[in-house]
Amino acid sequence: MSARPDGAAGEVPVLMYHSIATDATRKFRRFAVDPAEFTAQMEFLAAAGYQTMTAAELAGRESRAPVPSRAVVLTFDDAYTDFYSAALPVLREHGFRATLYVPTGYVGATTRFNVSVGEEDRPVLSWRALADVAAEGIEVAAHSHSHPQLDRVPVAVASEEVRRCRSLLEDKLGIAVDGFAYPFGFWNRAARETVAAAGYRYACAVAELMTAPGDDVLALPRLTVNAGIGVAGLTRLLDVRPTPARRRAAAAKRVAWQAVRRLVPPVGRDPQEGRPVT
Ligand SMILES: [Zn+2]
């Protein structure tokens, strides 16, 4: 177990999962955590005394307000049907809370945006199942409508994507939606402003760092849980403290990756190759 001072600095890891399943294409394999591995990871968190918060709860805390010692946020992107069948029973068993980010254009259908990893037929939860999930206390939040690269589409398109997703979730599920996760983790200043203008209180990015008080709530860092890291890998993720050097490295990586992506068209070649399917 890590020697992290129990929440003393208010640093909280926000973990990002995708699918909890054994079936996956080669390119998607690292995003599909085996249910047995997931179960072992949740058992570890419970035994180690971790308490879960939703991302909205984390984002809503007062700066420097105390968080539970050993707090962790569990997030799941893309609302795959295996969240309901494989993840939710395990979360329920431990009384764990979590946040699910839904790309509303694919509800009750499949992740057609996953074509570059051969997973365009991977099923997404229905509205009825999402209502059940919300009723269990899971935070159901937004992940855009059609899962575009928000930093590469015109502002009007980005605005429509984030507003439509929120209004659909609120209308279909009768819930308030405060949170957003950037598709593929990609964001820039314009995308961030678009999300803020649509009324979201917080948004999650991916920066492979723990969150800390004072973080930009419209670009909260998350840590990717890749398949196969097991419990040992999870314990390492739980201790990636956001040191100044790590923050600088994460910012530089984001800028460098944006430069690389500008060299390829948004469609055609595969700009997500090797990147999180977030
Ligand atoms: Zn996604």
Side-chain angles (χ1 to χ4, degrees):
M1 191 46 227
S2 81
R4 175 160 70 90
D6 289 343
E11 293 168 352
V12 177
V14 180
L15 302 176
M16 177 180 65
Y17 288 92
H18 288 86
S19 209
I20 307 299
T22 50
D23 66 302
T25 62
R26 183 182 59 79
K27 285 185 174 180
F28 191 75
R29 201 160 290 152
R30 73 188 182 99
F31 305 110
V33 173
D34 187 304
E37 181 179 5
F38 178 73
T39 298
Q41 290 175 337
M42 295 302 107
E43 284 174 353
F44 163 78
L45 291 176
Y50 274 91
Q51 295 182 53
T52 55
M53 312 167 73
T54 65
E57 287 169 341
L58 176 69
R61 69 183 167 154
E62 295 288 318
S63 183
R64 300 286 167 190
V67 295
S69 63
R70 293 206 170 155
V72 64
V73 177
L74 306 171
T75 70
F76 298 80
D77 283 18
D78 304 336
Y80 297 104
T81 52
D82 56 57
F83 175 79
Y84 195 100
S85 58
L88 193 55
V90 182
L91 297 174
R92 193 186 292 135
E93 185 181 326
H94 294 296
F96 280 174
R97 312 202 64 199
T99 300
L100 183 69
Y101 293 111
V102 183
T104 46
Y106 309 99
V107 171
T110 63
T111 49
R112 293 188 298 278
F113 63 88
N114 269 339
V115 64
S116 69
V117 291
E119 290 284 356
E120 61 272 25
D121 294 328
R122 205 162 189 89
V124 176
L125 290 169
S126 66
W127 286 113
R128 172 176 287 198
L130 287 171
D132 288 348
V133 167
E136 288 214 28
I138 301 296
E139 179 196 2
V140 176
H143 195 35
S144 83
H145 187 67
S146 69
H147 208 282
Q149 300 178 44
L150 276 189
D151 61 340
R152 300 198 71 187
V153 296
V155 169
V157 173
S159 180
E160 170 66 11
E161 282 280 342
V162 301
R163 288 172 189 274
R164 188 174 182 192
C165 180
R166 187 179 193 203
S167 64
L168 273 171
L169 287 170
E170 293 193 336
D171 291 350
K172 298 272 191 185
L173 302 176
I175 59 172
V177 174
D178 294 329
F180 186 81
Y182 297 100
F184 308 106
F186 296 152
W187 66 279
N188 58 7
R189 184 180 298 181
R192 182 189 175 286
E193 286 174 2
T194 300
V195 167
Y200 291 98
R201 266 196 315 119
Y202 81 89
C204 282
V206 184
E208 308 303 346
L209 297 170
M210 295 166 71
T211 61
D215 277 350
D216 178 3
V217 292
L218 288 166
L220 290 171
R222 290 191 291 172
L223 296 145
T224 308
V225 183
N226 282 316
I229 67 169
V231 169
L234 183 68
T235 63
R236 285 192 291 275
L237 287 185
L238 294 170
D239 199 30
V240 185
R241 302 191 62 199
T243 59
R246 282 186 179 138
R247 285 181 192 272
R248 283 195 298 273
K253 190 174 170 186
R254 186 174 76 85
V255 171
W257 185 248
Q258 279 178 342
V260 169
R261 288 163 57 234
R262 276 196 289 272
L263 300 176
V264 296
V267 291
R269 277 176 57 193
D270 180 4
Q272 287 92 48
E273 180 74 43
R275 284 286 299 181
V277 181
T278 54

